[in-house]
Amino acid sequence: VFVEVAIPHMHMDRDIRLSGFASFVGSSSMEITLKIDQDNNGTWEHVLHALFVLAARDPRTKKSAKMNPLIGTSEKDIAIIKTGKLNRQRRLTEQDKSLFKIPPDTSESTIVHDLFLKTLTQNASIFRTRLLVENSMWMEETGLRTMYLCHPEQRNLYNKIFGGYLMRKSFELAWTAASLFAKQSLSTLAVDDIMFERPVEIGSLLFLTTRVVYVEGNKIQTRVNAEVVDIHTAERHTTNIFYFIFKTKDNKNPLQNVVPKTYAEAMMYLDGKRHLN
Ligand SMILES: CC(C)(COP(=O)(O)OP(=O)(O)OC[C@H]1O[C@@H](n2cnc3c(N)ncnc32)[C@H](O)[C@@H]1OP(=O)(O)O)[C@@H](O)C(=O)NCCC(=O)NCCS
């Protein structure tokens, strides 16, 4: 499952209407578009738009299962399917350009090097000594970590841990880290790409780690990594990656910057920048 959601400003005391439809079907995966409208004195205002990608699996072989094709008969439906196809293409392009696969481009490398230079002692000709520039925090110091024992109460229909539970726990950790970093209360702007890479089994030891990875204006990009740890071998496997974007409620207290110290943190910084932009 893969999720993208823009979080709107919603009123707690008004009715909401949920609707959804298949907007693209591939060979074994489908994109679902979900909309939420909210009542505003008798008229429905569109407040939320979310995309979910679901993959069909054969329960016996655990391999991908074929889906029925989606056919548009009206102009409107054909346009929806075309947008769904473009979304899929965009996701594939983003995956191909991932920093896990290829190096940053020239402008991104310049950004990282400029950040690095700012942390060196002027005229000292020493690469090793790093100084934190004013009004900023090392990325590692923004980090928070927690762990959960995955109890059967949180299972879904397929006897795995329910994705909504993982999203909630990750969101709460990211919100806490971002608020501590900003030293003020924040609003949620978007739940960006959420990847469910592997199912989380009941009984797993689940570790969640978050960091503030990028800051721009009044916006804070956080990244949460969820991993399960095998208690016998201490082997770790990433199960989910979550991106949450928060923003300050007003511009009274400007945000400090976040500064990467290591190469891995610099890649997280660029990854966060790509997601925010
Ligand atoms: C989703 C999952 C089955 C994909 O595994 P995979 O090895 O990449 O599977 P496949 O290569 O067979 O791809 C299956 C389909 O998913 C699509 N897909 C895979 N990764 C994707 C991604 N990151 N974004 C969009 N689509 C993706 C593929 O394009 C393919 O679609 P197609 O047949 O229409 O072309 C696997 O990552 C998984 O089990 N995740 C955990 C799901 C889960 O536990 N969810 C809990 C929340 S309910």
Side-chain angles (χ1 to χ4, degrees):
V1 183
F2 174 95
V3 191
E4 297 173 331
V5 193
I7 303 292
H9 179 69
M10 285 172 71
H11 302 269
M12 303 307 278
D13 54 351
R14 294 192 202 156
D15 287 350
I16 58 167
R17 184 177 68 183
L18 278 113
S19 57
F21 51 87
S23 39
F24 180 75
V25 173
S27 169
S28 70
S29 66
M30 70 195 299
E31 180 193 86
I32 300 292
T33 298
L34 179 91
K35 289 179 174 177
I36 297 185
D37 300 316
Q38 187 158 47
D39 180 38
N40 183 11
N41 293 323
T43 50
W44 289 104
E45 267 178 9
H46 178 55
V47 289
L48 183 141
H49 182 91
L51 296 177
F52 295 81
V53 177
L54 309 167
R57 309 306 278 178
D58 183 316
R60 280 161 302 162
T61 62
K62 311 282 182 216
K63 293 195 172 139
S64 60
K66 201 102 184 110
M67 281 210 178
N68 289 327
L70 182 68
I71 298 164
T73 44
S74 67
E75 259 182 45
K76 191 179 162 204
D77 288 355
I78 292 168
I80 287 172
I81 295 172
K82 198 173 162 195
T83 309
K85 201 171 179 178
L86 289 173
N87 288 342
R88 177 195 166 92
Q89 199 50 49
R90 178 178 54 80
R91 276 182 219 112
L92 290 176
T93 313
E94 278 169 13
Q95 276 174 32
D96 288 345
K97 285 198 290 184
S98 161
L99 291 164
F100 284 111
K101 291 184 186 163
I102 57 166
D105 64 27
T106 319
S107 67
E108 289 176 327
S109 299
T110 308
I111 291 171
V112 169
H113 200 68
D114 284 348
L115 281 166
F116 172 69
L117 289 181
K118 278 188 196 149
T119 64
L120 297 185
T121 315
Q122 290 300 306
N123 308 322
S125 299
I126 300 170
F127 284 133
R128 208 164 18 94
T129 314
R130 311 283 300 276
L131 290 172
L132 192 58
V133 281
E134 213 181 306
N135 198 27
S136 54
M137 194 186 252
W138 291 120
M139 189 185 286
E140 66 184 359
E141 284 166 19
T142 70
L144 280 184
R145 194 158 201 233
T146 188
M147 72 76 60
Y148 295 97
L149 287 172
C150 294
H151 293 289
E153 285 86 340
Q154 311 300 343
R155 71 184 180 273
N156 64 15
L157 281 176
Y158 313 103
N159 272 325
K160 311 286 182 198
I161 295 299
F162 173 49
Y165 172 77
L166 302 173
M167 280 172 74
R168 179 182 177 164
K169 292 298 174 195
S170 302
F171 171 81
E172 288 174 351
L173 190 70
W175 180 85
T176 310
S179 302
L180 290 173
F181 169 79
K183 301 188 181 71
Q184 56 193 298
S185 67
L186 301 169
S187 310
T188 311
L189 189 64
V191 176
D192 200 9
D193 301 348
I194 294 188
M195 300 285 306
F196 290 85
E197 291 187 357
R198 283 168 179 247
V200 177
E201 304 293 337
I202 294 161
S204 300
L205 291 183
L206 178 74
F207 283 80
L208 301 179
T209 313
T210 191
R211 272 169 197 211
V212 170
V213 290
Y214 184 69
V215 176
E216 193 175 290
N218 68 340
K219 296 183 196 134
I220 300 175
Q221 173 78 59
T222 59
R223 184 181 197 270
V224 182
N225 187 56
E227 52 186 6
V228 289
V229 181
D230 186 312
I231 206 160
H232 303 290
T233 61
E235 256 181 65
R236 292 167 177 271
H237 292 290
T238 295
T239 55
N240 308 74
I241 296 169
F242 303 86
Y243 294 89
F244 300 102
I245 306 170
F246 302 96
K247 69 176 173 69
T248 55
K249 289 186 176 158
D250 51 50
N251 288 326
K252 281 185 199 149
N253 300 313
L255 293 170
Q256 56 185 332
N257 290 314
V258 67
V259 185
K261 200 185 259 180
T262 63
Y263 189 76
E265 285 175 358
M267 293 307 101
M268 280 194 244
Y269 183 93
L270 294 179
D271 185 48
K273 184 175 187 315
R274 286 184 184 185
H275 276 90
L276 195 70
N277 297 338

